[in-house]
Amino acid sequence: MAMLKQPMIEKLLAMRLHGMAESLETQEQDPAARELSFLERLGLLVDQQWNWRENQAPGRRLKNAKLRTSACVEDIDYRGARGRWLDRRAYQFTQASCGRHSRSRP
């Protein structure tokens, strides 16, 4: 007994398998996908779901962090109030607090 496509898509979405649902719809529109074996098509569905979750993770983490503003490392102004650059110790402290600087370095 064959399951209808739309109820299957709805069940995938209800199980939060959004990537797999998108991939299934893409496969249905691609004639080349019909030439693949069941396991090959299933493998493609699983890979797409995996990639979808991996791509969603950073955005979800940022949303859950509830940051007040969006910023990036490139936006940091290393100049002091008088236009001087941060001294070496302050720079090393910021690098150490980010885990990017080893204390054993000279």
Side-chain angles (χ1 to χ4, degrees):
M1 180 162 81
M3 183 183 268
L4 296 176
K5 183 178 126 184
Q6 191 56 37
M8 185 172 24
I9 297 289
E10 290 172 5
K11 287 178 182 179
L12 287 170
L13 294 173
M15 292 186 295
R16 297 183 180 181
L17 298 172
H18 299 281
M20 199 174 275
E22 289 173 11
S23 183
L24 180 61
E25 289 176 344
T26 303
Q27 282 186 14
E28 286 297 314
Q29 296 172 359
D30 184 10
R34 294 191 178 137
E35 297 175 10
L36 300 173
S37 71
F38 171 77
L39 287 177
E40 290 171 327
R41 285 186 75 178
L42 180 61
L44 289 173
L45 292 171
V46 171
D47 285 343
Q48 178 61 27
Q49 177 63 32
W50 178 269
N51 291 333
W52 187 87
R53 286 193 184 209
E54 290 294 312
N55 292 334
Q56 295 297 316
R60 185 176 57 251
R61 289 183 190 122
L62 282 173
K63 182 180 175 186
N64 290 340
K66 298 179 183 175
L67 301 173
R68 287 180 260 163
T69 61
S70 62
C72 62
V73 176
E74 290 82 14
D75 293 340
I76 297 174
D77 184 7
Y78 291 101
R79 293 176 293 166
R82 297 182 196 170
R84 295 187 208 153
W85 292 93
L86 288 177
D87 66 0
R88 183 176 176 191
R89 287 187 179 167
Y91 179 75
Q92 287 176 345
F93 175 76
T94 58
Q95 294 299 306
S97 66
C98 294
R100 296 183 184 157
H101 184 72
S102 173
R103 290 182 185 236
S104 63
R105 283 180 141 173

